[in-house]
Amino acid sequence: MTIPLQSIEIKALHRMIGGGVGFTLLYRISRDGCNASTFHTKCDCQGPTITVLYNTNDTVYGGYTSQSWLGTGTEYSSYDEKAFLFQVRYNGSSVQKKYPIKADNYANAIRCGSTLGPVFGRKESAIPFFVGNVSFSNGIFLFQKGHLDNSYTLNNEDITNGSVNITDLEVYKVDVGDLRTNLNQWRIASRIEHRDSLFSKIWDIITLGLFTYKNKQLDALRKEVQNYTPVKETGVEYANLLLIGHVGSGKSSFVNTVNSIFKGTISHKAIAGSAEKSLTNRYRKCQVRNGRFGKTLNFRLCDTKGIEKDDGIDPHEFCFILDGNMPNGYLFNSSTQLNPDSPGFLAKPSTQDRMHALVIIVDSTNVEIFEHTILENIKIFQDKANQRGIPQIVLLTKIDKVSESLKKNVSKTFLVPAIGDLVDKAADLFGVPRSSVIPIKNYENEMELREDINILALLALQQILNFADDYLVNFLEGK
């Protein structure tokens, strides 16, 4: 089984190419077939690409070209001053080796032709390659052996580790972009499969931009969330998104942030601030309007009491929230708990009353020193949600306090290694995939709306709504 690129290996490729590049997967032979025609259909005219080969000796290598592949009928070489070969894994151990194109061979960087897969070099490929169609047999694709010609600075080094038995080959389009041009397909990237399982290095996909934003602007993203409607067949008019978090996590601030985006000005609809005890003492299903007096959007942000070390939501009351029994406006009281005889208790909740997604809000500065008792309580709530098939997302707030570079602008969030590390740790801490951990910054002391803050929040909200739809479809099919 092919072992995907590891974090250190992806970062090495990022450094070799240089700049804030992003990768979009175009072609994978284990998924698309090892066929030259398919390769050209998917990879031609895409601009810069990087080709990654995996072999049976657990060695990973490949090549980069800044030029487009072209499947013309006649074979020809392409000029490229920036091309290079690389090796990032040898016998299972990560390495960082780059072999640039030689100055006197810029004209022979890659070889194109309709019957050829990706070929790096002059008359003969410097690395293993395929011609025509290669079948998958006994877990491998048998490639043709490359030759150590003079095109690249290999110095007779065999970067293949002696094997042309290829377990996989991938070609990625290399893009240069920022948060706004690279992030809208986060949820798409989070579903990318690598052979038998979800791609385990999803944060690295995000960090390096292995997705396509398709040039959507902030207004288009805002409109997409604004026009959200739950799956029609479920009969649900709006999605219920349950927010939980420790005191001071930024739970109520997230409500205010979303309200601010759609109101068009800074909003303080929910009580937020710094305190030792939770400032939220009621259960609220908060509506979000488009504009000050506009249409109510088709989701509700369900705010709850903050989780404290020795206080918070009782697990039984939490189940009542998940199942839709708790009335809107219910006042949390540690001395008395909600029960079927309580005023307003919904004895027969509908699908509309139930929670459709669980959003765990976490202060990113607390991830490495998370209070054990609070974590245990959250784990109990997660277990209750899991029993009901309710999807979970973790939002990491206050990311501007983690990295100095994010204090004035969070558009470079996905290029900050410290944020990536926190995503890894939060995923482990709460037992969710890294694709379900999303860093954001809430509005706190800002006086005006900011595009970078809005984009992060909208992308998070878009993902949450996508998860809610998944729950509704599963609930419908399970009837």
Side-chain angles (χ1 to χ4, degrees), residues 33-166:
C34 191
N35 183 283
S37 177
T38 305
F39 160 67
H40 287 293
T41 297
K42 291 180 174 292
C43 302
D44 279 2
C45 303
Q46 294 288 344
T49 57
I50 190 162
T51 300
V52 184
L53 291 87
Y54 306 78
N55 71 18
T56 51
N57 287 340
D58 200 5
T59 296
V60 180
Y61 56 91
Y64 166 81
T65 176
S66 65
Q67 302 302 307
S68 286
W69 296 102
L70 291 173
T72 60
T74 303
E75 293 183 14
Y76 73 99
S77 296
S78 182
Y79 184 95
D80 188 0
E81 299 178 3
K82 299 179 180 180
F84 63 84
L85 303 181
F86 64 86
Q87 184 188 75
V88 291
R89 189 187 306 162
Y90 184 84
N91 278 344
S93 298
S94 293
V95 295
Q96 298 183 25
K97 296 183 178 181
K98 179 179 179 180
Y99 310 93
I101 183 76
K102 291 182 178 179
D104 58 348
N105 278 284
Y106 288 159
N108 302 302
I110 61 173
R111 187 153 57 102
C112 297
S114 59
T115 62
L116 298 175
V119 174
F120 290 83
R122 194 166 49 207
K123 293 182 179 180
E124 299 289 349
S125 178
I127 57 177
F129 65 103
F130 68 88
V131 178
N133 182 65
V134 176
S135 299
F136 186 62
S137 178
N138 296 322
I140 64 168
F141 298 89
L142 182 60
F143 276 30
Q144 296 189 32
K145 186 176 181 180
H147 295 271
L148 298 177
D149 64 13
N150 295 320
S151 299
Y152 292 87
T153 56
L154 284 167
N155 298 322
N156 294 320
E157 183 175 351
D158 181 10
I159 64 174
T160 70
N161 191 14
S163 174
V164 293
N165 295 328
I166 306 302

Side-chain angles (χ1 to χ4, degrees), residues 80-273:
D80 188 0
E81 299 178 3
K82 299 179 180 180
F84 63 84
L85 303 181
F86 64 86
Q87 184 188 75
V88 291
R89 189 187 306 162
Y90 184 84
N91 278 344
S93 298
S94 293
V95 295
Q96 298 183 25
K97 296 183 178 181
K98 179 179 179 180
Y99 310 93
I101 183 76
K102 291 182 178 179
D104 58 348
N105 278 284
Y106 288 159
N108 302 302
I110 61 173
R111 187 153 57 102
C112 297
S114 59
T115 62
L116 298 175
V119 174
F120 290 83
R122 194 166 49 207
K123 293 182 179 180
E124 299 289 349
S125 178
I127 57 177
F129 65 103
F130 68 88
V131 178
N133 182 65
V134 176
S135 299
F136 186 62
S137 178
N138 296 322
I140 64 168
F141 298 89
L142 182 60
F143 276 30
Q144 296 189 32
K145 186 176 181 180
H147 295 271
L148 298 177
D149 64 13
N150 295 320
S151 299
Y152 292 87
T153 56
L154 284 167
N155 298 322
N156 294 320
E157 183 175 351
D158 181 10
I159 64 174
T160 70
N161 191 14
S163 174
V164 293
N165 295 328
I166 306 302
T167 59
D168 218 341
L169 175 148
E170 299 166 330
V171 179
Y172 293 96
K173 175 179 171 60
V174 178
D175 299 298
V176 177
D178 56 17
L179 178 68
R180 189 170 50 197
T181 58
N182 280 338
L183 288 180
N184 192 44
Q185 295 299 318
W186 187 345
R187 61 186 175 85
I188 294 177
S190 72
R191 292 164 184 253
I192 291 176
E193 291 184 0
H194 193 290
R195 300 293 297 271
D196 302 319
S197 62
L198 187 69
F199 194 88
S200 63
K201 295 297 175 184
I202 195 66
W203 175 257
D204 297 309
I205 293 179
I206 297 163
T207 303
L208 300 179
L210 307 187
F211 35 71
T212 306
Y213 184 72
K214 299 181 180 178
N215 297 320
K216 288 186 179 180
Q217 300 298 314
L218 172 61
D219 288 345
L221 179 58
R222 182 180 183 275
K223 187 173 182 180
E224 186 171 341
V225 175
Q226 174 186 315
N227 293 337
Y228 165 80
T229 55
V231 179
K232 184 178 180 181
E233 291 77 6
T234 63
V236 171
E237 296 181 6
Y238 54 83
N240 293 321
L241 316 176
L242 179 59
L243 312 181
I244 65 170
H246 56 93
V247 173
S249 63
K251 178 172 51 62
S252 296
S253 292
F254 180 66
V255 175
N256 289 335
T257 296
V258 174
N259 268 288
S260 297
I261 293 171
F262 290 98
K263 183 179 178 181
T265 185
I266 298 298
S267 168
H268 295 285
K269 185 171 184 178
I271 300 175

Side-chain angles (χ1 to χ4, degrees), residues 20-35:
V21 298
F23 294 172
T24 303
L25 180 65
L26 298 175
Y27 175 60
R28 176 182 289 140
I29 62 174
S30 62
R31 180 191 68 186
D32 305 314
C34 191
N35 183 283

